[in-house]
Amino acid sequence: MRVERQVGVRLFHTTRVDSRMTSTTFHYRVQLTLLDRPETGIRTGWLRCATCGNLVGLGIQSAERTRARKRRELLVLVLCVIAGAGLVGYVGSLPDEGASGGLIAVLAILGVVLFFVLVVSGYLLLAEQGVGITEGRANGPHRTQPYGAEGVAHLLRKRENTPTPFIDDEF
């Protein structure tokens, strides 16, 4: 699993929310930023929002920590596939008239739970980039989203030795 030394981040600032009876529309501005990963552990600090000027608390994980999280999600995904295959094999081996209604209900619920865990772990495997807004920092109308590999290459071309706009915590 390839994890780069730098990570691209989209910082979203929600500017307006329109609520109607059947829909809600979010209006936002996006700031693209390229951040350097720490060598080890987690780097916490602040990123200044280009829209409002406020500081947004971020945490950036090292490449090794991000790889470990991705490996864990891959393991959960593989275990769900194996368990799902075993469940399908077991249900297929049941006699047509011998299975009780309670057993079928339990197996159906187990199948739904396995499928849910499979989908969530697959999403987390793809979405995990090792960066996000830190808890408890009063970040207001902000959220983050990873920026794909193509986007990181684009940001690297545009960067041209400009410093990262990330302010480290002073502990």
Side-chain angles (χ1 to χ4, degrees):
M1 285 173 235
R2 186 173 170 158
V3 177
E4 300 293 334
R5 191 179 67 78
Q6 296 174 317
V7 60
V9 177
R10 291 182 182 120
L11 178 65
F12 290 88
H13 176 102
T14 304
T15 57
R16 190 174 86 225
V17 179
D18 295 332
S19 295
R20 296 195 171 88
M21 288 185 69
T22 59
S23 67
T24 301
T25 305
F26 293 89
H27 301 270
Y28 53 87
R29 297 210 174 163
V30 180
Q31 174 182 346
L32 304 176
T33 307
L34 188 64
L35 302 173
D36 298 320
R37 291 186 187 276
E39 294 296 321
T40 60
I42 299 174
R43 177 180 170 199
T44 59
W46 305 90
L47 180 66
R48 187 167 303 279
C49 175
T51 302
C52 66
N54 291 339
L55 293 174
V56 179
L58 292 179
I60 306 167
Q61 296 184 12
S62 68
E64 187 53 43
R65 241 180 118 96
T66 303
R67 273 190 225 88
R69 288 179 67 141
K70 284 182 166 279
R71 281 192 298 266
R72 184 184 67 218
E73 295 303 331
L74 182 61
L75 176 65
V76 170
L77 188 79
V78 168
L79 290 176
C80 282
V81 168
I82 291 170
L87 182 66
V88 168
Y90 178 71
V91 169
S93 69
L94 288 175
D96 292 337
E97 65 280 339
S100 68
L103 177 64
I104 297 297
V106 167
L107 292 176
I109 291 170
L110 183 62
V112 168
V113 169
L114 275 174
F115 181 73
F116 177 76
V117 172
L118 179 86
V119 169
V120 169
S121 63
Y123 170 76
L124 290 175
L125 177 65
L126 294 174
E128 178 61 52
Q129 295 297 319
V131 66
I133 290 181
T134 54
E135 298 291 324
R137 290 203 175 201
N139 290 309
H142 300 98
R143 67 182 180 89
T144 61
Q145 186 180 63
Y147 201 54
E150 300 82 24
V152 171
H154 173 70
L155 287 174
L156 281 171
R157 283 193 301 275
K158 291 183 74 176
R159 188 171 185 186
E160 296 180 13
N161 298 323
T162 58
T164 300
F166 188 76
I167 304 165
D168 281 310
D169 278 341
E170 296 180 21
F171 292 125

